Amino acid sequence: DIVLTQTPLSLSVTPGQPASISCKSSQSLLHSDGKTYLYWYLQKPGQSPQLLIYEVSNRFSGVPARFSGSGSGTDFTLKISRVEAEDVGVYYCMQSIQVFSFGPGTKVDIK
Amino acid sequence: QVQLVESGGGVVQPGRSLRLSCGASGFTFSTYGMHWVRQAPGKGLEWVAVIWYDGSNQDYAESVKGRFTISRDNSKNTLYLQMSSLRAEDTAVYYCAREYDDSDALDIWGQGTMVTVSS
């Protein structure tokens, strides 16, 4: 089974400052079809998860440009260029190359 | 608007069964793959099951394989999760979610329904 590891598990950020979350996979998420099956979600407090990034670096509709995804193979990163108060919550990476699985989550709060 | 609404959660004794439903509206349900994802109290997200748009294929997490069955009725725009032989560790909020176009991304989520397995 593929295991996703996120670091850090908790992050406290000053508004306006950047933030970065790492997601490492135990196996490559690059498929023979050329796609890399890695996604990012945000679950705000008391809400259902929402899709931020699909296939490593594609921002979903309506997601602010301050969110960006990068990486390849087994190492991936979600970056927030300037954190805003509304960005608090738990961020999850997810893979779908082999069944589906989520990372443990990274809790982001505001200093 | 595009919406998913789960129902059917509640308190159930260990070993018993429960069926969850997820009603879809605002989109052509029969053309989308659908998933169930759960979240135990205070814990992270755990993927549970997927069903193809036409119901022809399903897949499950190892933790529920053989006990849970995902199904759909495209004529009723409804997704189901039949849960049997329930265990305390199945206690969670269960979300249904839609696959985004021809991606595996989950773009629309319901509000969730709580299942508590307890004697």
Side-chain angles (χ1 to χ4, degrees):
Chain A
D1 289 4
I2 292 179
V3 176
L4 298 178
T5 303
Q6 289 183 232
T7 53
L9 295 181
S10 182
L11 192 56
S12 191
V13 187
T14 300
Q17 293 300 302
S20 180
I21 300 170
S22 169
C23 176
K24 294 185 186 295
S25 173
S26 59
Q27 298 178 36
S28 176
L29 301 183
L30 174 62
H31 193 274
S32 56
D33 65 6
K35 293 182 180 179
T36 301
Y37 290 85
L38 187 281
Y39 313 84
W40 290 96
Y41 298 86
L42 165 60
Q43 186 174 31
K44 296 182 179 182
Q47 296 186 19
S48 302
Q50 59 188 80
L51 175 64
L52 294 176
I53 302 286
Y54 63 97
E55 293 165 17
V56 180
S57 58
N58 298 286
R59 248 186 333 270
F60 184 60
S61 174
V63 174
R66 64 180 181 274
F67 291 93
S68 64
S70 62
S72 62
T74 60
D75 290 356
F76 305 93
T77 303
L78 176 71
K79 292 183 179 176
I80 311 173
S81 59
R82 289 176 298 278
V83 171
E84 297 188 5
E86 66 181 23
D87 300 335
V88 300
V90 182
Y91 290 78
Y92 296 93
C93 56
M94 183 193 86
Q95 65 80 24
S96 66
I97 197 170
Q98 192 183 98
V99 195
F100 286 69
S101 61
F102 289 91
T106 295
K107 185 174 183 179
V108 173
D109 62 25
I110 298 296
K111 279 185 183 175
Chain B
Q1 79 273 25
V2 176
Q3 195 173 9
L4 297 171
V5 179
E6 302 93 338
S7 60
V11 180
V12 60
Q13 293 180 327
R16 303 298 290 264
S17 298
L18 195 65
R19 189 178 81 160
L20 305 182
S21 300
C22 169
S25 59
F27 65 98
T28 306
F29 179 70
S30 61
T31 63
Y32 288 87
M34 295 294 298
H35 297 247
W36 288 99
V37 175
R38 68 184 180 182
Q39 186 170 36
K43 302 297 183 182
L45 301 174
E46 180 187 13
W47 178 80
V48 173
V50 60
I51 187 167
W52 286 22
Y53 69 100
D54 59 357
S56 61
N57 224 335
Q58 308 86 34
D59 206 354
Y60 299 91
E62 283 299 323
S63 59
V64 306
K65 200 172 284 187
R67 299 187 300 121
F68 289 13
T69 301
I70 188 172
S71 63
R72 63 193 299 159
D73 186 336
N74 285 344
S75 68
K76 296 182 178 179
N77 292 337
T78 303
L79 174 73
Y80 302 102
L81 186 67
Q82 179 68 46
M83 306 184 293
S84 60
S85 302
L86 282 162
R87 307 166 179 166
E89 54 265 36
D90 296 318
T91 294
V93 173
Y94 285 74
Y95 297 98
C96 62
R98 184 186 83 168
E99 279 189 1
Y100 173 52
D101 288 344
D102 59 358
S103 163
D104 288 342
L106 306 181
D107 67 334
I108 303 295
W109 295 64
Q111 85 290 347
T113 187
M114 182 71 202
V115 172
T116 302
V117 183
S118 173
S119 54

